[in-house]
Amino acid sequence: MNIVITGASRGIGKRIAEVFAEDKKGHTILLCARNEKTLSAAATDLQSRFPRTNVWFKALDIGNKEGAKAFGFWVLEKISKIDVLINNAGTFVPGDISNEPDGALEKMLGVNLFSAYHLTRSLLPSMLEHKSGHIFTICSIAGLQAYPNGGAYSISKFALLGFTKNLRHELMPHGIKVTAIIPGAVYTDSWIGSGVPPERIVEADDIARLIYTAAHLSPQATVEEIVIRPQEGDL
């Protein structure tokens, strides 16, 4: 399989790449993130541990249209067929609409929504040609309900879920699956030092294995949405 993952240098994205790389069948995995040093280290680590898998990477800021399209064009230079696309790039700026920093909405719409929109549009012609593929978007429970300090982040995730729902409806007749992953709190680097114990919240591995399983269903079956949250409730 050819698997494209954004936001792949750490956290959920890196763990998704690891779970696919662990497959003894071997895959080609194409990774993207903004920080070239961190991304290169992640890709090198994956390639050394999983030699059956081909790992390629490109450092770009896909939070802007030009970067997202450039990554899409790079992907299509490397492979002609996309089996799995995982729109995982995301950012979070805390605050309420009334007091969050100026520019927070523009930043989070760019990274959380426009990156997925423009990259997906860049890759869709190839996917439509092959009449196959599976697109995952990493949404959030913040896209299901408002919550304190959510502000522009919540707005961007509501929009991302709307994008995913429309994409699912549009691509249904073309053999292309679309799945929204809607997690609550997931233990990544942003939680280190927070005082919240790791066992209190969802693991990145949980998200990765859900995606891996959903990507291996029969062609006639798809999971439209997966909501996963901490057993003891949201934080």
Side-chain angles (χ1 to χ4, degrees):
M1 295 173 70
N2 295 323
I3 302 130
V4 179
I5 309 171
T6 66
S9 62
R10 56 194 179 95
I12 294 173
K14 183 180 179 183
R15 185 57 193 147
I16 294 169
E18 288 175 335
V19 168
F20 275 97
E22 289 168 359
D23 193 329
K24 293 181 180 180
K25 296 178 182 178
H27 299 295
T28 294
I29 302 179
L30 300 96
L31 309 177
C32 181
R34 285 176 293 177
N35 188 305
E36 184 165 8
K37 182 178 180 180
T38 307
L39 180 62
S40 176
T44 301
D45 174 62
L46 282 171
Q47 190 65 82
S48 64
R49 288 193 290 136
F50 307 105
R52 290 189 182 88
T53 294
N54 296 315
V55 181
W56 294 328
F57 69 95
K58 184 75 170 177
L60 283 166
D61 180 2
I62 63 171
N64 62 74
K65 181 178 180 179
E66 292 74 22
K69 292 178 68 175
F71 180 61
F73 295 150
W74 177 82
V75 167
L76 293 175
E77 288 177 352
K78 295 290 186 182
I79 56 174
S80 60
K81 183 174 182 287
I82 296 95
D83 296 300
V84 178
L85 166 61
I86 302 164
N87 288 310
N88 173 64
T91 191
F92 172 65
V93 177
D96 294 329
I97 293 171
S98 60
N99 61 24
E100 61 194 3
D102 185 41
L105 179 61
E106 290 83 354
K107 179 178 181 179
M108 284 186 280
L109 283 175
V111 178
N112 298 343
L113 174 65
F114 297 157
S115 65
Y117 176 84
H118 291 300
L119 176 58
T120 301
R121 277 172 52 88
S122 296
L123 300 180
L124 270 179
S126 172
M127 299 178 82
L128 288 167
E129 179 184 351
H130 289 92
K131 296 185 180 299
S132 67
H134 198 151
I135 301 169
F136 293 87
T137 56
I138 307 301
C139 300
S140 169
I141 58 161
L144 297 178
Q145 62 191 43
Y147 72 98
N149 221 31
Y153 176 76
S154 184
I155 294 169
S156 71
K157 289 296 187 175
F158 266 93
L160 183 62
L161 183 56
F163 161 74
T164 306
K165 287 178 179 288
N166 278 275
L167 195 64
R168 161 70 177 146
H169 181 76
E170 178 182 334
L171 298 179
M172 196 182 298
H174 300 284
I176 301 170
K177 300 181 181 185
V178 179
T179 301
I181 306 296
I182 309 173
V186 179
Y187 199 85
T188 57
D189 289 350
S190 60
W191 286 96
I192 295 175
S194 67
V196 177
E199 61 271 16
R200 171 64 176 83
I201 55 182
V202 177
E203 297 178 1
D205 183 68
D206 296 322
I207 308 299
R209 295 197 180 279
L210 285 171
I211 290 174
Y212 179 87
T213 300
H216 286 81
L217 297 178
S218 63
Q220 65 269 28
T222 191
V223 179
E224 293 186 341
E225 297 179 1
I226 298 175
V227 178
I228 176 172
R229 50 207 328 162
Q231 167 64 16
E232 295 182 22
D234 297 325
L235 295 172

